[in-house]
């Protein structure tokens, strides 16, 4: 059965996956349907297919990553592609080479897809204009992280059957979070109601224009919610002081049992990881198998990345 709704002959119009904002409802539905077909394969003992046999995938991660990079690497390998993950620390970037020079060098080796994570918003877009292959954005600055939002949607659909009509609270460092931005675009498009919850200093200017309800009181923001999406404080993107202290932040904006009771009884807890236990989330709640779907997000992330690689790699 289709995850959202069946669309006939969906064509993905872009050669690159740069952001949720570039996708239509039917394209999202197509990616999620495709991802669903890989969940079973990933749970079976033989996980290999040859959908991308002969194709070359390069992972280019300029920022630290555990989940996203390993997920893209496994996804490519399970599809039969040749996958090469650049080790930036030992690369010519350390000798002063620019992003574009690096990309052009890699481009000369005829990859079919480059998966890129970069600290600058818009870097994958720039790259996509210079290379001959597809580019998939694995997170750029504070702008977008499309595959994270897609895997979040798949996790919600897997548990709740749909996104439409659900009330989703996105809590924490909204200002610096590409995960928040991509999720706001995606969940809005899929028909959810979105509450963002954060201290004033961690809310983007005019955030309500993105189609969200804004709360600085977490208990009110969690009221009657179906999904609670927690975010990490993006300290690496903060210049100056945004918060009085981690302890105070936890007191007011950490997900704790006394705040959790405000949400629906069967509400789910999500987190893109990496988590800071005791800063944005209570450690027992993070591990509560009846509430937390954090591990499932990681699992379904591989399926979503397989779908994206299959769809975008084939386009070049
Ligand atoms: C997120 C990211 O890098 O944007 N992590 C991830 O991809 N799983 C969130 C974060 O780093 O806080």
């Amino acid at each position: 059965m289709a995850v959202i709704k069946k669309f006939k002959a969906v064509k993905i119009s872009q050669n690159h996956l740069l952001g949720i904002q570039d996708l239509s409802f039917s394209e999202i539905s197509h990616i999620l349907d495709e991802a669903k077909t890989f969940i079973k394969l990933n749970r079976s003992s033989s996980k290999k297919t040859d959908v991308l046999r002969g194709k070359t995938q390069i992972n280019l991660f300029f920022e630290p990553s555990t989940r996203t990079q390993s997920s893209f690497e496994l996804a490519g390998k399970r599809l039969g592609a040749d996958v090469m993950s650049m080790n930036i620390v030992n690369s010519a970037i350390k000798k002063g080479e620019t992003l574009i020079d690096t990309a052009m060098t890699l481009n000369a080796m005829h990859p079919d897809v480059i998966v890129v994570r970069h600290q600058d918003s818009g870097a994958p877009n720039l790259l996509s204009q210079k290379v001959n292959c597809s580019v998939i954005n694995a997170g750029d600055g504070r702008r977008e992280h499309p595959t994270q939002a897609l895997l979040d949607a798949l996790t919600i659909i897997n548990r709740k059957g749909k996104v439409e009509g659900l009330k989703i609270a996105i809590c924490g460092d909204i200002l610096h979070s590409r995960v928040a931005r991509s999720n706001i675009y995606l969940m809005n498009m899929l028909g959810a109601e979105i509450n963002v919850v954060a201290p004033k200093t961690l809310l983007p200017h005019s955030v309500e224009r993105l189609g969200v309800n804004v709360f600085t009181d977490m208990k009110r923001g969690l009221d009657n919610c179906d999904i609670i999406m927690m975010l990490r404080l993006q300290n690496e993107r903060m210049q100056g002081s945004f918060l009085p202290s981690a302890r105070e932040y936890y007191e007011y904006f950490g997900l704790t049992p006394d705040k959790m009771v405000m949400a629906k009884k069967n509400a789910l807890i999500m987190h893109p990881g990496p988590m800071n236990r005791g800063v944005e989330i209570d450690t027992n709640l993070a591990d509560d198998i009846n509430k937390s779907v954090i591990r499932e997000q990681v699992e379904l992330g591989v399926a979503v990345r397989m779908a994206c690689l299959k769809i975008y790699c084939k386009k070049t």
Side-chain angles (χ1 to χ4, degrees), residues 138-208:
D140 63 324
R142 54 167 92 173
R143 199 185 72 91
E144 278 237 35
H145 192 351
T147 58
Q148 178 68 45
L150 288 162
L151 77 86
D152 290 339
L154 190 63
T155 307
I156 294 173
I157 291 165
N158 215 30
R159 286 296 184 116
K160 300 276 186 193
K162 58 173 186 155
V163 172
E164 193 178 1
L166 297 184
K167 202 165 160 188
I168 301 176
I170 306 180
C171 313
D173 187 356
I174 311 286
L175 179 65
H176 300 104
S177 174
R178 53 198 176 206
V179 175
R181 228 157 251 100
S182 287
N183 263 309
I184 290 171
Y185 300 140
L186 182 59
M187 300 307 164
N188 252 333
M189 216 186 308
L190 299 182
E193 182 185 346
I194 305 167
N195 289 355
V196 295
V197 181
K200 264 204 177 86
T201 49
L202 293 178
L203 282 167
H205 186 62
S206 305
V207 63
E208 60 287 344

Side-chain angles (χ1 to χ4, degrees), residues 61 63-69 117 138-142 144-145 147-148 151 176-180 230-234 236-237 271-276 280 298 305:
F61 279 63
E63 276 190 342
S65 173
T66 302
R67 275 147 279 265
T68 310
Q69 186 168 347
R117 164 170 289 189
D140 63 324
R142 54 167 92 173
E144 278 237 35
H145 192 351
T147 58
Q148 178 68 45
L151 77 86
H176 300 104
S177 174
R178 53 198 176 206
V179 175
M230 298 307 299
L231 300 170
R232 182 179 65 89
L233 287 172
Q234 309 271 301
E236 70 276 24
R237 290 183 228 292
H271 195 304
M275 261 187 292
N276 288 305
E280 68 254 2
V298 177
R305 275 134 193 166

Side-chain angles (χ1 to χ4, degrees), residues 29-95:
S29 158
H30 176 56
I31 296 172
L32 294 176
D33 278 343
E34 192 72 58
K36 212 181 167 198
T37 67
F38 289 118
I39 299 176
K40 232 177 152 181
L41 180 82
N42 286 335
R43 287 178 183 168
S44 72
S45 59
S46 176
K47 302 172 182 65
K48 192 104 175 170
T49 64
D50 62 357
V51 177
L52 294 186
R53 198 157 136 207
K55 301 276 181 184
T56 301
Q57 172 190 338
I58 297 180
N59 295 334
L60 196 51
F61 279 63
F62 292 86
E63 276 190 342
S65 173
T66 302
R67 275 147 279 265
T68 310
Q69 186 168 347
S70 52
S71 179
F72 267 112
E73 187 163 336
L74 274 183
K77 286 180 173 164
R78 287 181 183 172
L79 293 172
D82 293 313
V83 184
M84 196 267 281
S85 291
M86 280 287 301
N87 184 346
I88 301 292
V89 180
N90 294 325
S91 74
I93 289 152
K94 291 285 159 198
K95 299 180 183 171

Side-chain angles (χ1 to χ4, degrees), residues 2-7 25 29 33:
V3 250
I4 304 179
K5 210 181 201 179
K6 204 75 196 160
F7 281 86
F25 183 84
S29 158
D33 278 343

